[in-house]
């Protein structure tokens, strides 16, 4: 079958296209169309055969019921019975919008559409093209997400075409969707109403309108023994081709764990993916890193989630590690989808961290302008067995300055550079449990010990590697003094690299 693709602008709707698409639906065909949540695969909701076609095109199990989309509130009464009184208030607040309500079905709704259930799921989408299409089709359009069953839901017309080209009659291309996650499903047949699938409309938002609602307990957390109440929630869903693993912990731990996992993969020649955010992107150097949005605005994350999962299918990565997100507001829906995409695979960031005594190496000199940054840069050039955040600090840094020019000249002659270095003041932040602090001389070490009372993990570089070759102070001396200093530092850092690797072996 040839799938026609028609562009549609929701601000300036072409009525002819809507009528053409509506006719296809009336005649029992399939049309994918944009809604504010994800793209839907539309079919006539009151025709048994149309539902069967939908299941076939998606490869969806036929016990997984479809949501019936309406455009006018009065139409609800034609397909649902025993509609509880709170429905008016919910509709007034959230319809049209990303909310699906479940009621007892009326006789006109075929069991094909409801997956054999006596209840029907109903939503009124906001997207104007969607509502135009529903009216043109006679008022009742069943529309599951327009993807192949099990794949990430489509948030663009291109995603729909990837999965369904040749299997459906038409795709209405209205550009990228706004929300990017499927609607919230609220079951109105129980008291209090129960959230069966989290989405953009949250429990707190319902409570302001109708008081208490409950939440299907199988939605978050581990794969439960119990079956979820929305049949569709029991299938592995939204899944990328690669194994997806969620890394859990506080954000700082997560970043370090993901870095460690990416570094280990790189050493072993494995290609991995990372799902990161605006805020964490700069921390990742290895692997295929994709930005899912900003932690400042969870809506950006919701909007990009499926797109990013789909993009990884073209990257040929074997594992994708994802940071996790706060489970509040829309974060609940984000984590629900992410956990399903991961098939509930997760690792604890703290457990990854435990495998490593030190995760940071911070060199400390007086002004952080020559010896400490040189040592840090030399260490960065080693292929160590584990990843470290390697840095330098000064004990007295009045304002940030670039590296000493003679130090830079010497580094350049060794094919290294300090051009991005800016001197920074040492402070308490640097004394974390997983940080190895290496001072250039004994005075600097004693100063840290007396000022911060910290005795663990603070050593002179000489002391830590067990070698007493003095590191000369080149400041104010000619370039050759910097060269000599570089030689001594290089030798000590080589010993340091060996020592760090030997610590890793002891732990393994
Ligand atoms: P989708 O249209 O792909 O977003 O999937 C529709 C979701 O709504 C699936 O998870 C279904 O299981 C759920 N659903 C549809 N009708 C009902 C119903 N009558 N009772 C419970 N869940 C339903
Ligand atoms: Mg779906």
């Amino acid at each position: 079958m040839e799938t026609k693709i028609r562009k549609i602008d929701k601000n300036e709707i072409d009525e002819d296209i809507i009528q053409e698409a509506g006719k296809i639906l009336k005649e029992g065909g399939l049309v994918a169309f944009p809604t504010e949540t994800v793209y839907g695969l539309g079919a006539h909701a009151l025709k048994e055969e149309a539902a069967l076609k939908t299941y076939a095109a998606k490869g969806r199990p036929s016990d997984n019921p479809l949501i019936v989309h309406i455009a006018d509130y009065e139409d609800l009464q034609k397909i649902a019975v025993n509609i509880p009184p709170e429905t008016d208030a919910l509709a007034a607040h959230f319809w049209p919008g990303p909310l699906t309500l479940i009621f007892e079905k009326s006789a006109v709704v075929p069991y094909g559409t409801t997956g054999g259930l006596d209840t029907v799921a109903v939503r009124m989408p906001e997207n104007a093209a969607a509502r135009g299409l529903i009216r043109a089709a006679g008022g009742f359009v069943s529309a599951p997400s327009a993807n192949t069953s099990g794949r990430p839901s489509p948030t663009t017309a291109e995603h729909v075409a990837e999965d369904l080209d040749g299997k459906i009659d038409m795709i209405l291309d209205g550009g990228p969707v706004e929300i990017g996650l499927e609607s919230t499903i609220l079951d109105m047949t129980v008291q209090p109403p129960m959230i069966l699938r989290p989405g953009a409309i949250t429990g707190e938002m319902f409570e302001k309108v109708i008081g208490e609602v409950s939440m299907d307990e199988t939605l978050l957390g581990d794969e439960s023994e119990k079956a979820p109440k929305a049949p569709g929630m029991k299938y592995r869903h939204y899944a990328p081709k690669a194994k997806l693993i969620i890394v859990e912990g506080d954000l700082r731990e997560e970043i370090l764990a993901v870095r460690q996992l990416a570094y280990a993969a790189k050493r072993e020649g494995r290609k991995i993916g990372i799902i990161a955010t605006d805020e964490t992107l700069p921390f990742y150097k290895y692997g295929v890193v994709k930005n899912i949005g900003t932690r400042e605005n969870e809506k950006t994350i919701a909007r990009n989630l499926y797109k990013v999962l789909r993009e990884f299918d073209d990257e040929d990565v074997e594992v994708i590690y994802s940071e996790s997100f706060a489970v509040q507001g829309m974060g609940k829906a984000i984590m629900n989808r992410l956990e399903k995409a991961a098939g509930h695979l997760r690792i604890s960031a703290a457990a990854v961290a435990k495998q490593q005594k030190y995760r940071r190496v911070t060199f400390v000199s007086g002004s952080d302008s020559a010896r400490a940054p040189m040592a840090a840069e030399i260490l960065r050039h080693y292929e160590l067995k584990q990843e470290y955040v390697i840095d330098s600090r000064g004990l007295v840094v009045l304002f940030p300055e670039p590296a000493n020019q003679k130090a830079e000249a010497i580094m350049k002659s060794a094919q290294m550079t300090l051009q991005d270095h800016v001197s920074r003041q040492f402070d308490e932040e640097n004394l974390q449990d997983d940080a190895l602090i290496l001072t250039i001389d004994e005075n600097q070490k004693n100063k840290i010990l007396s000022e911060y009372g910290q005795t663990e993990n603070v050593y002179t570089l000489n002391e830590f590697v067990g070698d007493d070759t003095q590191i000369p102070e080149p400041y104010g001396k000619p370039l050759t003094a910097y060269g000599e200093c570089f030689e001594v530092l290089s030798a000590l850092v080589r010993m340091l690299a060996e020592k760090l690797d030997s610590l890793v072996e002891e732990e393994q």
Side-chain angles (χ1 to χ4, degrees):
M1 164 190 314
E2 195 217 330
T3 301
K4 292 181 205 158
I5 298 182
R6 296 277 186 269
K7 288 239 184 258
I8 191 104
D9 177 353
K10 68 175 187 234
N11 300 314
E12 211 185 316
I13 289 170
D14 183 334
E15 248 329 287
D16 291 344
I17 294 177
I18 294 294
Q19 290 307 321
E20 183 190 4
K23 183 156 172 274
I24 294 174
L25 293 180
K26 270 189 184 153
E27 288 168 356
L30 301 180
V31 177
F33 62 97
T35 80
E36 65 277 23
T37 57
V38 299
Y39 271 73
L41 178 57
H44 200 296
L46 306 185
K47 290 187 178 171
E48 187 91 45
E49 330 76 73
L52 298 181
K53 273 197 195 170
T54 307
Y55 291 119
K58 278 179 63 79
R60 175 169 174 141
S62 59
D63 66 343
N64 187 357
L66 308 177
I67 295 173
V68 180
H69 291 65
I70 59 174
D72 298 288
Y73 188 46
E74 310 82 79
D75 286 344
L76 176 62
Q77 294 158 36
K78 297 179 194 147
I79 52 174
V81 297
N82 294 330
I83 298 170
E86 307 93 293
T87 307
D88 283 341
L90 287 173
H93 273 86
F94 304 118
W95 274 0
L99 171 63
T100 296
L101 298 174
I102 300 204
F103 305 102
E104 288 172 40
K105 81 177 191 69
S106 78
V108 300
V109 184
Y111 281 109
T113 299
T114 66
L117 299 175
D118 288 314
T119 50
V120 61
V122 187
R123 174 161 109 85
M124 189 196 293
E126 224 228 292
N127 184 291
R131 273 186 299 146
L133 176 65
I134 294 164
R135 290 196 185 105
F140 304 95
V141 173
S142 62
S145 47
N147 54 317
T148 299
S149 197
R151 292 211 70 205
S153 295
T155 56
T156 64
E158 288 75 27
H159 295 162
V160 178
E162 263 169 41
D163 286 11
L164 299 178
D165 190 30
K167 297 183 178 163
I168 64 177
D169 298 281
M170 184 182 274
I171 299 171
L172 292 182
D173 178 356
V177 302
E178 289 91 17
I179 296 175
L181 296 181
E182 302 85 344
S183 57
T184 306
I185 301 181
L186 186 67
D187 184 356
M188 299 300 289
T189 67
V190 294
Q191 212 19 270
M194 184 187 281
I195 297 176
L196 305 189
R197 176 172 77 183
I201 312 285
T202 63
E204 302 82 75
M205 290 160 83
F206 288 132
E207 281 173 12
K208 285 192 188 133
V209 178
I210 55 167
E212 194 196 348
V213 295
S214 61
M215 168 84 87
D216 183 355
E217 57 186 293
T218 67
L219 287 182
L220 283 171
D222 284 321
E223 198 86 293
S224 162
E225 295 291 292
K226 289 188 189 153
K229 299 216 162 38
M233 299 300 279
K234 72 175 178 252
Y235 299 103
R236 179 164 184 224
H237 230 135
Y238 322 119
K241 288 181 194 147
K243 190 156 116 184
L244 171 66
I245 301 176
I246 301 173
V247 180
E248 289 181 327
D250 74 43
L251 186 55
R252 179 184 160 270
E253 291 281 340
E254 282 176 21
I255 295 167
L256 289 170
V258 171
R259 282 175 64 120
Q260 192 56 55
L261 292 162
Y263 185 75
K266 186 201 124 204
R267 282 175 55 85
E268 290 156 22
R270 292 181 291 111
K271 192 172 171 194
I272 62 122
I274 298 174
I275 296 182
T277 48
D278 271 0
E279 292 76 11
T280 59
L281 216 52
F283 296 106
Y284 302 123
K285 284 184 283 188
Y286 309 114
V288 179
V289 187
K290 295 205 184 274
N291 184 357
I292 192 171
T294 163
R295 288 174 177 275
E296 306 248 296
N297 181 357
E298 58 193 4
K299 285 183 184 159
T300 61
I301 296 172
R303 201 178 298 137
N304 290 328
L305 175 61
Y306 291 140
K307 180 179 80 126
V308 164
L309 292 180
R310 276 183 183 256
E311 281 172 8
F312 271 121
D313 286 351
D314 299 328
E315 294 286 356
D316 193 34
V317 294
E318 62 174 55
V319 190
I320 304 164
Y321 295 106
S322 176
E323 296 171 1
S324 40
F325 303 98
V327 187
Q328 61 199 12
M330 209 175 166
K332 215 170 236 161
I334 293 168
M335 282 311 286
N336 167 267
R337 304 309 194 277
L338 199 57
E339 296 212 343
K340 286 182 79 66
H344 297 269
L345 288 177
R346 64 182 95 191
I347 47 176
S348 132
V352 176
K354 271 211 198 94
Q355 296 165 6
Q356 206 178 344
K357 181 164 163 57
Y358 300 121
R359 292 189 292 178
R360 297 159 191 277
V361 179
T362 307
F363 294 92
V364 180
S365 62
S367 63
D368 189 26
S369 63
R371 291 181 293 175
M374 284 164 94
E377 191 54 27
I378 296 167
L379 184 61
R380 286 190 198 105
H381 279 73
Y382 279 89
E383 277 260 335
L384 299 170
K385 289 194 173 133
Q386 286 192 339
E387 156 96 331
Y388 301 86
V389 179
I390 300 167
D391 229 333
S392 64
R393 290 290 185 274
L395 290 178
V396 185
V397 179
L398 298 181
F399 43 87
E401 272 187 294
N404 176 292
Q405 285 183 10
K406 288 177 188 160
E408 169 65 349
I410 292 296
M411 292 297 278
K412 277 236 170 85
S413 68
Q415 271 80 52
M416 291 184 248
T417 177
L418 301 176
Q419 73 181 20
D420 295 329
H421 176 73
V422 181
S423 60
R424 283 196 279 170
Q425 173 67 40
F426 183 90
D427 65 24
E428 201 150 12
E429 280 272 290
N430 300 116
L431 287 168
Q432 301 185 5
D433 290 346
D434 58 3
L436 172 64
I437 309 291
L438 297 173
T439 64
I440 298 296
D441 70 28
E442 193 77 33
N443 285 342
Q444 294 151 357
K445 175 184 161 185
N446 291 335
K447 196 170 168 209
I448 292 174
L449 296 188
S450 65
E451 198 157 319
Y452 300 96
Q454 172 103 355
T455 52
E456 243 189 288
N457 300 354
V458 182
Y459 305 88
T460 66
L461 176 55
N462 290 106
E463 174 187 20
F464 190 72
V465 303
D467 182 289
D468 54 16
T469 316
Q470 276 296 306
I471 304 170
E473 162 66 282
Y475 187 72
K477 296 188 181 149
L479 194 59
T480 50
Y482 284 83
E484 280 156 27
C485 175
F486 175 83
E487 294 304 327
V488 175
L489 283 174
S490 293
L492 291 172
V493 171
R494 177 174 319 115
M495 290 180 234
L496 172 62
E498 276 163 20
K499 171 118 189 203
L500 289 171
D501 278 350
S502 72
L503 287 176
V504 172
E505 260 153 34
E506 273 168 35
E507 284 160 23
Q508 277 165 355

